Amino acid sequence: MIRGTTELVAIVGSPIAQVKSPRNFNAWFERHGKDLAMIPIDLDGQSLDGFVDALRAWRNLRGCVVTVPYKQAIATRVDTLSPRSQALGCVNVIRREADGTLTGDIVDGDGFMNAARRHGFVPKGARVLLIGAGGVGSAIAWSLCEHGAASIVLTDLDASRVERLRALLATHHAATDTGTRAGARLGSLAPFDLVVNASPAGMAGYDELPVSPDGLATLRADTLVADVVTSPEATRFLELARQAGCRVQTGAEMALAQLGNLGAFMHVTPLDI
Ligand code: NAD
């Protein structure tokens, strides 16, 4: 029940009907007797400036989750960015401070790491193959570096994105060895402890395998194979990895494992929910 006293958080994107956060947050608020609610906002991109101004003025709003396609555009409009948001040029959550200023962060990588740890993945010293060097791939790569990954090999259909991310990681996380591979020449996957599809390949309407079946046949059984795609939940990539005997992590697990990070950043849930 939303009352006059209820404090709000929001999630903004376009389209918005597919997002799971309102259901997940509102269920948690209700279960814990909190006078809080999350509302979804399908925003016309022409109104971004006015929207961000309204967030500053909105006194009963604690914060706002930001999703596609506004993660980059909103990052340029808030007042303060976390160091990782600053480097990646991206936010997926903003908090409204008591004085009305807005602070942004990107916690996609934290969600990924939370979910991977639940599968027994140890990031320190890990060798990683990351397919997709866009927004989510960059956030995951950043977190893997923060947690001591030994090496990350990057690949993407767009070579300029790979090079940009490689250079960024080399500047900020020199302790992690970063390499690149052209998609057609991925070769054996046996050296990797973690293989992540951080591209949309495999989502409904883009039925593509991020790695060829020949490549998947070279996976070690103790490799964790993860996908960021949430629909379908079990992608063909993950099915093939499972058949190869690997542990698999779905995009839905990553999204769910991020709830506490989003909620804690907006000061509406504990980190560990
Ligand atoms: P983006 O457009 O910023 O980046 C996607 C990248 O993938 C691009 O660089 C593109 O060139 C590359 N790519 C596309 N097809 C490829 C292929 N076949 N092989 C290699 N690279 C390929 O998008 P994004 O914001 O990073 O989102 C990527 C996916 O992550 C989307 O499907 C999105 O729905 C999903 N996502 C999941 C979560 C989660 O919590 N599970 C969170 C956010 C986004």
Side-chain angles (χ1 to χ4, degrees):
M1 173 67 76
I2 296 183
R3 306 174 178 83
T5 53
T6 304
E7 290 198 275
L8 297 174
V9 285
I11 177 166
V12 65
S14 190
I16 205 69
Q18 78 290 353
V19 297
K20 309 278 191 303
S21 288
R23 193 181 65 193
N24 291 332
F25 273 106
N26 288 324
W28 191 90
F29 295 151
E30 194 175 335
R31 234 179 11 257
H32 292 83
K34 303 283 183 192
D35 193 8
L36 284 160
M38 175 174 269
I39 54 167
I41 301 176
D42 186 344
L43 187 77
D44 180 335
Q46 306 282 341
S47 298
L48 266 181
D49 286 326
F51 175 72
V52 174
D53 277 346
L55 294 183
R56 290 191 180 92
W58 197 337
R59 292 200 184 107
N60 65 342
L61 183 95
R62 299 272 199 100
C64 183
V65 175
V66 182
T67 187
V68 178
Y70 299 129
K71 290 173 156 190
Q72 286 83 9
I74 289 188
T76 65
R77 289 169 166 82
V78 299
D79 305 298
T80 311
L81 289 173
S82 67
R84 58 190 172 184
S85 272
Q86 179 88 50
L88 296 170
C90 211
V91 294
N92 79 331
V93 60
I94 50 187
R95 175 174 65 231
R96 184 182 181 279
E97 310 289 0
D99 64 0
T101 57
L102 303 175
T103 307
D105 193 11
I106 174 138
V107 302
D108 281 315
D110 292 340
F112 181 88
M113 294 301 307
N114 294 343
R117 275 201 210 89
R118 287 173 198 161
H119 285 284
F121 173 71
V122 179
K124 193 156 182 55
R127 288 154 302 166
V128 181
L129 172 65
L130 183 73
I131 303 142
V136 171
S138 303
I140 292 173
W142 190 273
S143 282
L144 285 164
C145 291
E146 280 181 332
H147 290 88
S151 64
I152 305 183
V153 172
L154 306 167
T155 182
D156 192 297
L157 294 180
D158 182 339
S160 66
R161 284 197 163 197
V162 167
E163 195 36 48
R164 200 165 56 227
L165 180 57
R166 198 202 57 73
L168 192 72
L169 297 178
T171 304
H172 293 270
H173 297 285
T176 300
D177 204 18
T178 44
T180 63
R181 280 198 206 167
R185 292 195 300 276
L186 278 182
S188 170
L189 305 188
F192 300 111
D193 305 306
L194 170 69
V195 173
V196 188
N197 175 41
S199 85
M203 70 181 200
Y206 182 28
D207 187 18
E208 182 126 336
L209 272 176
V211 174
S212 71
D214 285 355
L216 286 167
T218 64
L219 280 166
R220 287 194 334 250
D222 62 345
T223 296
L224 176 64
V225 178
D227 208 326
V228 301
V229 169
T230 50
S231 177
E233 187 162 339
T235 57
R236 197 154 67 90
F237 171 60
L238 291 186
E239 284 303 332
L240 291 172
R242 206 193 304 267
Q243 283 166 24
C246 297
R247 290 163 295 154
V248 301
Q249 174 180 315
T250 65
E253 285 177 80
M254 167 182 164
L256 203 57
Q258 200 185 136
L259 276 193
N261 298 88
L262 295 169
F265 187 79
M266 297 186 289
H267 297 162
V268 294
T269 72
L271 192 55
D272 193 12
I273 62 172

